[in-house]
Structures are given as C-alpha cells and as structure tokens.
Amino acid sequence: MTPSTVGVPARLSRPATWVDVDLAHIEHNARLLSRLATVPLMAVVKANGYGHGAVAVAGAALRGGAAWCGVARPDEAVELRRGGVGCPILLLGWAPSQTLPELIAAGVSLTVWSPDQVTEIAAAARTLGRRARLHLKVDTGMSRLGLPPEEIVEFSRAIAATEGVTQEGLFTHFACADDPASHVTADQERRLREVAAALAAGGLRPGLVHAANSAATLTRPTSRFDLVRVGIALYGLEPSPTCP
C-alpha cells in the first residue's frame, strides 16, 4: 500500500500548514484491500477521513472497490450524504434522539446495543413511514460498547417483532488485532461465531456479520466474515510495527 503524500512548509515560523492528499493512492489502497478481503469492504472515514477529507476519501475508496462507508458520529454520515456519497453508510457509534429522523431518511444504518435505542429508532422510522436498518453490536471482549453475547438472541428476537426496524447486521470490535502474540482476537472471533450460530439456530437472521479491522483484514482471513471495516490501512499506514 502507498502512503498518501504529505507536505509541510520547511520554515521555523510558518504562516500556514497544509496536507497534500493523493486520492489516487487511497483508491489504489482500497482496490488492493478489496482484492485481499474477497468480501465487501467498508471504508472507515470517521474524523473527516482521519483528517484527509471524508467526502473525497469516500469517493476514492468507492472508485477503488469499497462497498460501504463507516462513520463514528451522526454529522459525519450526514456530511457524506450531502456530499453525494450514495453507498450504504453505517454509523458505528450512538445516535442521539434528535438526529434519528435525518439519519433514517438518509438511509443510514444504525448501531444498537440496548432496547431503548430500538424503541426510539422504531418510533422515528414509523413516523417517517420508513424501516430503519440496524446492526447489533456484540461485546466480545472490547468492553466498550455492545451487548453481552448471551443477551443477543433475545435482543434480536425483540427487534424482529418491532415494526419499523430490521436487523441488517451483527458485529463486534476487536481489541488488539494488531498484536499477533495476543490470544484475545481469536477468542473474540470465536464468540462472534457462536452468537451468529445461536441466532441461526433460533430461526433469526444475523444479517451481515463483520469484525475485521485493518489489522485483522491483513492477518486473519478467518475473521473477514461477510464484510471488513478498514481504516488506517486505507490511508497507507500499517496498523502496528508488528502488523504489516
């Protein structure tokens, strides 16, 4: 992968600082990662595309073969839509109540991990005459956001019975996939597989199962499932010194 080109004035007292981003390099990186993954690729463009320009990076990644975009905040999803990005977008974080109508109207997929979220989203979707698409987040070991694995089947069943929402995906977040010496990633992957199998056994559709970040996409083929979420590697950087 090729790092984006960065230029900074070589002055001690500089009046301005700039970054030159070669979008062709990002497109190239997306193409390489898509070929490697062999499943759809989500380009993570949170934090203004890690400072590279979210709309421009999203366009380059899509030209390179990415199928999705991922963001952290509601305003980031709205910015992409207003910038003409029409691909599926997943909001990976929380959506406050007041942002739901615009997100649902824009067709943004939403992450959920609590019944209260589902109730609010469903009500907003019914008001709009729409169905909101949900991705259930499982906490398999990151201990940040997500529902415990043992609660997912009941949660998914409740979603299936709720008018105005549909389960589109199931995912988790790896805590340390960039550390090849750690056993944690294998444990997290196993737990996610068990949850997906439990849903299927209960007659529930898991939807798109996804877990792999940049590090796992590069080093753990078994973790790629139905979709990979690539951030740092898209911008030409290694996830860690031990993860090329």
Side-chain angles (χ1 to χ4, degrees):
M1 291 174 290
T2 310
S4 52
T5 304
V6 178
V8 179
R11 305 184 187 96
L12 292 177
S13 180
R14 57 178 184 251
T17 300
W18 72 85
V19 175
D20 295 326
V21 179
D22 191 330
L23 294 175
H25 286 177
I26 291 176
E27 179 179 341
H28 171 75
N29 293 342
R31 186 170 294 110
L32 288 181
L33 290 161
S34 294
R35 289 173 181 169
L36 173 69
T38 69
V39 296
L41 183 142
M42 177 184 294
V44 179
V45 293
K46 63 184 181 180
N48 192 29
Y50 294 82
H52 293 68
V55 172
V57 168
L62 292 169
R63 291 192 297 273
W68 285 71
C69 284
V71 297
R73 302 196 317 261
D75 59 301
E76 295 172 341
V78 171
E79 178 188 3
L80 292 183
R81 284 289 187 251
R82 291 178 178 172
V85 177
C87 71
I89 297 172
L90 175 61
L91 173 60
L92 294 160
W94 176 59
S97 303
Q98 66 270 21
T99 67
L100 293 175
E102 186 170 18
L103 292 171
I104 294 168
V108 175
S109 299
L110 304 171
T111 293
V112 294
W113 58 89
S114 80
D116 288 345
Q117 287 178 293
V118 175
T119 299
E120 284 191 338
I121 293 168
R126 290 194 297 267
T127 298
L128 293 170
R130 303 282 294 268
R131 291 185 68 85
R133 297 188 293 272
L134 308 180
H135 287 234
L136 282 60
K137 186 165 187 182
V138 191
D139 181 9
T140 59
M142 183 74 173
S143 300
R144 188 163 66 188
L145 296 175
L147 206 61
E150 61 271 17
E151 297 180 22
I152 287 292
V153 171
E154 181 180 351
F155 188 51
S156 180
R157 201 178 304 281
I159 289 172
T162 301
E163 182 183 355
V165 294
T166 187
Q167 182 172 332
E168 183 180 51
L170 173 77
F171 77 105
T172 197
H173 192 115
F174 287 148
C176 52
D178 56 349
D179 180 2
S182 174
H183 64 83
V184 172
T185 306
D187 290 343
Q188 288 190 265
E189 182 183 332
R190 172 183 54 78
R191 292 189 189 106
L192 183 62
R193 288 188 184 280
E194 290 172 351
V195 169
L199 288 173
L204 299 164
R205 181 178 175 273
L208 293 169
V209 179
H210 50 107
N213 53 10
S214 290
T217 297
L218 293 169
T219 64
R220 294 186 62 86
T222 59
S223 72
R224 295 172 189 160
F225 292 98
D226 303 315
L227 179 72
V228 296
R229 307 187 307 268
V230 175
I232 191 170
L234 181 65
Y235 304 92
L237 300 173
E238 297 175 351
S240 75
T242 58
C243 182

